[in-house]
Amino acid sequence: MMENFKHPRYVDLRSDAGFKAVFADRNNRELLRQTLNLLLPEENAVEQITEYLDREQELDFIGGKGTCYDLICKGRDGRRFIVELQKEPQTAFFERCMYYCAGTYHGQLRRGDHYDKLCPVFLVGILNFRLVHEDESLWDSDHVVSEYQMIEKRTGEFAPPAISCIFAELGRFGKRLRECGSDRDVLFYMMQHGSVLEELPKELKHRPYAEALAEACEIAGFSDVKKQIYDEDMISERDIAAKCDYAFRQGEAKGEAKGKAEGETKKAKVVAANLLAKGLPSSLIAECTGLSEEEVLELKAV
């Protein structure tokens, strides 16, 4: 039987289930296009999303590493857009992003195709944390989106468009509602606070993008099938989070117990060394300290 829990009014866009329920829904294609255009450089704006592509990437070879995106779509001009939500920092995160992009880039061609058929690939990552930058003073609530492309190092000349990674760092966004002046601000604010809102704030009403986003996030507007899928995804996500939390706490407990035991052993060895110096027999010292006689004799040999 499926677990019952009370829904908030709006999905949490920082959850995998909520993010996919809104942006992977074909009915929200125009909202996805607008959202991408808030994050992409102006010259790379999407005119139209023509197709949602298979989230699972084909293997390059038997035994190769599989890839499953949160969302991937194609624009009218053939460009591919990988959209990823990343809740926590991850080892080799940038390397994984490049791996995703490279697989999508070369996967466009089939035997006999020419390289001029390749279209640029963009990965748009929404991160619920901060990346580490060389100069942190250049990053604040108005500068949370970074763009990585291939560039000639000496002259700063950009290579022809092929692979680009765009990251929006929600962990850097700290604007209050009254300070949200752009639709990009609205997106970040709703991602951070939308799941606890009981209604769209008056400051955001009559703003077309804010109203469209809120409508797409409202759980009561989901079809029965979509709501069931969302519920199941949320339960799975919570189960995984609970298991990770349990494993972490168990690791902490074991670490504490191990540390305590090591501390007690260290103290016993100090006492044993002092008793050895006074000439007491090793068997008696072992009995008094709880160490084995072998451990006491090892101290004597040092």
Side-chain angles (χ1 to χ4, degrees):
M1 181 179 294
M2 191 168 67
E3 179 184 336
N4 292 318
F5 56 88
K6 184 178 179 181
H7 281 298
R9 179 169 182 177
Y10 302 110
V11 302
D12 184 351
L13 287 172
R14 293 175 298 178
S15 69
D16 290 330
F19 187 82
K20 291 172 186 175
V22 173
F23 293 114
D25 187 336
R26 270 67 168 171
N27 294 320
N28 295 332
R29 185 176 304 206
E30 176 57 20
L31 178 66
L32 173 61
R33 185 191 71 82
Q34 293 177 19
T35 301
L36 286 175
N37 286 344
L38 295 177
L39 304 175
L40 290 165
E42 186 175 348
E43 66 272 16
N44 292 316
V46 187
E47 293 184 10
Q48 182 182 0
I49 294 174
T50 58
E51 186 179 357
Y52 285 75
L53 303 178
D54 189 351
R55 293 173 50 235
E56 293 193 15
Q57 187 82 12
E58 293 182 6
L59 297 179
D60 290 336
F61 55 90
I62 297 175
K65 185 173 178 61
T67 300
C68 185
Y69 310 125
D70 287 343
L71 168 64
I72 180 169
C73 59
K74 185 168 73 171
R76 186 169 61 185
D77 56 4
R79 289 179 298 161
R80 270 69 168 171
F81 300 92
I82 301 167
V83 188
E84 287 286 307
L85 173 72
Q86 186 72 25
K87 293 185 289 185
E88 302 287 345
Q90 186 180 71
T91 303
F93 170 68
F94 189 80
E95 288 82 353
R96 177 168 69 85
C97 291
M98 289 301 294
Y99 181 81
Y100 281 9
C101 291
T104 299
Y105 189 69
H106 84 74
Q108 298 177 59
L109 298 185
R110 293 294 178 262
R111 187 186 300 274
D113 288 343
H114 295 289
Y115 293 112
D116 59 3
K117 290 184 176 292
L118 287 167
C119 295
V121 172
F122 294 83
L123 183 141
V124 179
I126 300 177
L127 318 179
N128 194 36
F129 55 91
R130 298 181 177 200
L131 293 174
V132 177
H133 297 284
E134 289 184 0
D135 187 349
E136 290 291 330
S137 68
L138 299 176
W139 303 91
D140 53 37
S141 286
D142 284 316
H143 302 91
V144 303
V145 179
S146 52
E147 179 187 5
Y148 295 86
Q149 289 184 326
M150 293 185 182
I151 189 172
E152 203 289 315
K153 190 171 181 179
R154 182 177 64 85
T155 64
E157 179 183 354
F158 283 99
I163 291 175
S164 300
C165 291
I166 292 94
F167 301 119
E169 303 174 40
L170 288 179
R172 294 186 182 276
F173 185 78
K175 289 188 178 181
R176 290 168 289 187
L177 183 57
R178 66 175 180 271
E179 297 173 316
C180 294
S182 66
D183 283 346
R184 178 187 282 186
D185 290 343
V186 170
L187 169 64
F188 296 157
Y189 184 88
M190 288 293 288
M191 292 201 74
Q192 288 183 334
H193 306 288
S195 63
V196 299
L197 296 178
E198 295 183 0
E199 63 177 349
L200 189 66
K202 65 179 186 300
E203 292 89 344
L204 300 183
K205 289 181 178 178
H206 310 300
R207 296 181 66 160
Y209 178 77
E211 291 186 337
L213 182 60
E215 182 179 356
C217 291
E218 191 163 7
I219 298 169
F222 291 0
S223 67
D224 291 341
V225 173
K226 180 175 177 176
K227 186 172 181 295
Q228 181 178 355
I229 294 172
Y230 171 71
D231 285 345
E232 291 172 352
D233 286 348
M234 281 299 297
I235 291 170
S236 297
E237 194 168 335
R238 286 169 177 163
D239 285 346
I240 292 171
K243 289 176 182 177
C244 290
D245 181 66
Y246 176 77
F248 177 74
R249 292 180 185 276
Q250 287 292 98
E252 278 192 326
K254 288 179 180 178
E256 289 175 2
K258 182 180 178 183
K260 185 176 180 181
E262 289 175 348
E264 294 296 331
T265 300
K266 187 175 181 179
K267 289 179 183 178
K269 287 182 176 180
V270 170
V271 173
N274 290 333
L275 294 176
L276 277 171
K278 294 182 181 297
L280 271 68
S282 59
S283 58
L284 180 59
I285 295 174
E287 185 179 344
C288 293
T289 61
L291 297 173
S292 68
E293 192 166 351
E294 289 78 10
E295 288 175 310
V296 175
L297 291 172
E298 285 177 3
L299 292 173
K300 189 174 183 179
V302 174

